[in-house]
Amino acid sequence: MLTGLLCGILLGFVLQRGRFCMVGAYRDLFLSKKTTIFLALFIAITIQSIGIFILQDNGVIALAYKPFFWLATIIGGVIFGFGMVLAGGCATGTWYRAGEGLIGSYIALFGYMLGAAMTKFGIFQPINQNLKTYQIQDSTLYQTLNISPWILIVILFAIVGFFTYKELKKPKRKIATLTPRKTGISHWLFEKAWHPFITAILVGLIAILAWPLSYASGREFGLGITTPSANLLGFLVTGNLDYIDWGVFLVLGIFMGSFIAAKGANEFKFRLPEKKTLGLNLSGGLLMGFGASLAGGCTIGNGLVNTAIFSYQGWVAVVFFIIGAWLATYLTIIRPQQIASNKIKS
């Protein structure tokens, strides 16, 4: 199970240095109309998808198919998307930003763990179980179409490749940079800004690595954040070692990897936001934990992993993550700006 720690350290390091947070990818779609990070997410999905089905075709892993809990995914997706904007980071982003010293992320992380634990094995469990009675037996698109998943991989690769090419052909804007203080590998690892597409490639490769490592421990899945976070809180509260698995080591590794990266880049610093932001961090974290548990995963478990295996749950969750994120962005950022602008004009 210690390989989970290694995988998490790699992921946390890459996420921190690449500033790869899913909430930014979703929120940028509405605020600045930028699609670079969102496209980078799909690059990671495509790379992981290729790796997963190569592993399965060679008997290294065997994908376990579950029914598609459509109503829980829809409701949970909207709630999670809304919550991650309030929290100021997605589930994984909250873990790696806590490693940078952001106090607000510690608060959001606690809320996320608590919300997930209450939904998976606490007072909200009956709601979770009831919503998941609404299900469809086919869990993947290629099962329904009765085709090889490689057909879908080729289509995904072509679409993502086309938009990646268009993005790379855009004129590059010159950005002022400070004089480098480091040289060689240290400069590239800790000082030079990473292109989102490079980060996405690394995330995709780490996501592939997670599958055989997790399988070796008896856990039949790849990267996942929600259940391990809930399990970690369950262990801390009860002391029951049954809660500790590969996934728990993974999330702890993300924190450690981010801390190492932030220290190496001189970016680690304890920062305390204003009281209002702390309240949003906590409430957003609780909503994320509740929503991700209903939806069967967060922007990693659903948005990165389940999409890569072409499950309905993953792709439907992404759509409703976007809807929830848009709603929260509109109510907390866009609408207040419109009201303030109208007051100035009047």
Side-chain angles (χ1 to χ4, degrees):
M1 289 196 294
L2 287 177
T3 60
L5 191 67
L6 173 62
C7 192
I9 289 172
L10 290 173
L11 183 60
F13 188 97
V14 168
L15 291 174
Q16 197 282 333
R17 292 302 303 127
R19 315 306 305 168
F20 200 75
C21 181
M22 307 301 177
V23 70
Y26 287 83
R27 194 171 52 197
D28 284 354
L29 292 175
F30 321 119
L31 289 180
S32 58
K33 312 301 180 184
K34 292 181 179 178
T35 58
T36 305
I37 306 298
F38 195 68
L39 177 57
L41 170 61
F42 281 86
I43 291 174
I45 291 171
T46 305
I47 290 172
Q48 184 189 189
S49 187
I50 294 170
I52 287 172
F53 287 101
I54 288 176
L55 290 172
Q56 177 165 258
D57 288 351
N58 285 276
V60 178
I61 65 172
L63 296 177
Y65 298 105
K66 299 183 296 184
F68 170 38
F69 307 110
W70 60 272
L71 184 58
T73 302
I74 290 171
I75 295 174
V78 173
I79 293 172
F80 179 88
F82 193 97
M84 72 178 181
V85 172
L86 297 186
C90 62
T92 319
T94 302
W95 271 103
Y96 92 68
R97 284 178 171 162
E100 296 177 343
L102 273 67
I103 303 301
S105 291
Y106 284 95
I107 301 299
L109 183 57
F110 172 74
Y112 173 63
M113 294 167 66
L114 181 60
M118 289 193 298
T119 310
K120 286 186 172 293
F121 36 77
I123 59 173
F124 296 142
Q125 187 183 38
I127 299 174
N128 189 22
Q129 292 175 335
N130 182 59
L131 287 175
K132 287 181 177 174
T133 59
Y134 299 90
Q135 57 182 253
I136 298 171
Q137 287 306 308
D138 277 2
S139 61
T140 68
L141 183 58
Y142 57 85
Q143 285 177 313
T144 301
L145 298 176
N146 195 27
I147 60 174
S148 167
W150 286 101
I151 295 175
L152 299 178
I153 291 173
V154 170
I155 295 172
L156 179 63
F157 183 86
I159 295 172
V160 173
F162 171 75
F163 284 104
T164 301
Y165 174 77
K166 286 189 65 176
E167 181 69 25
L168 292 175
K169 291 290 289 183
K170 291 180 180 179
K172 303 294 188 297
R173 290 185 300 174
K174 292 185 178 180
I175 302 174
T177 57
L178 299 173
T179 302
R181 296 182 179 181
K182 303 177 186 292
T183 59
I185 295 178
S186 293
H187 169 67
W188 287 92
L189 287 179
F190 298 108
E191 198 170 39
K192 184 176 176 61
W194 291 19
H195 192 285
F197 293 174
I198 298 298
T199 306
I201 292 171
L202 294 174
V203 169
L205 293 174
I206 294 169
I208 294 171
L209 176 65
W211 282 91
L213 295 181
S214 180
Y215 260 72
S217 73
R219 176 180 174 274
E220 297 181 351
F221 201 66
L223 296 177
I225 309 297
T226 304
T227 298
S229 298
N231 285 346
L232 178 57
L233 184 61
F235 167 72
L236 293 175
V237 172
T238 67
N240 187 347
L241 288 173
D242 290 340
Y243 283 114
I244 301 298
D245 63 0
W246 189 92
V248 171
F249 282 101
L250 172 75
V251 294
L252 291 175
I254 292 172
F255 177 86
M256 293 172 59
S258 174
F259 173 77
I260 293 169
K263 289 292 286 185
N266 295 319
E267 293 175 353
F268 179 85
K269 182 181 180 181
F270 286 114
R271 284 155 283 181
L272 181 65
E274 58 185 27
K275 291 181 180 179
K276 180 181 178 180
T277 302
L278 287 174
L280 291 174
N281 292 150
L282 179 59
S283 58
L286 286 166
L287 289 173
M288 281 202 301
F290 178 64
S293 297
L294 292 182
C298 62
T299 44
I300 291 294
N302 269 332
L304 178 65
V305 179
N306 277 322
T307 49
I309 60 176
F310 300 101
S311 79
Y312 289 114
Q313 179 177 300
W315 289 95
V316 169
V318 166
V319 172
F320 286 94
F321 288 162
I322 294 173
I323 292 173
W326 175 84
L327 184 60
T329 302
Y330 178 79
L331 292 176
T332 63
I333 301 176
I334 298 175
R335 184 57 179 163
Q337 288 177 347
Q338 291 175 341
I339 294 174
S341 177
N342 290 335
K343 286 183 178 179
I344 293 174
K345 291 178 181 180
S346 61

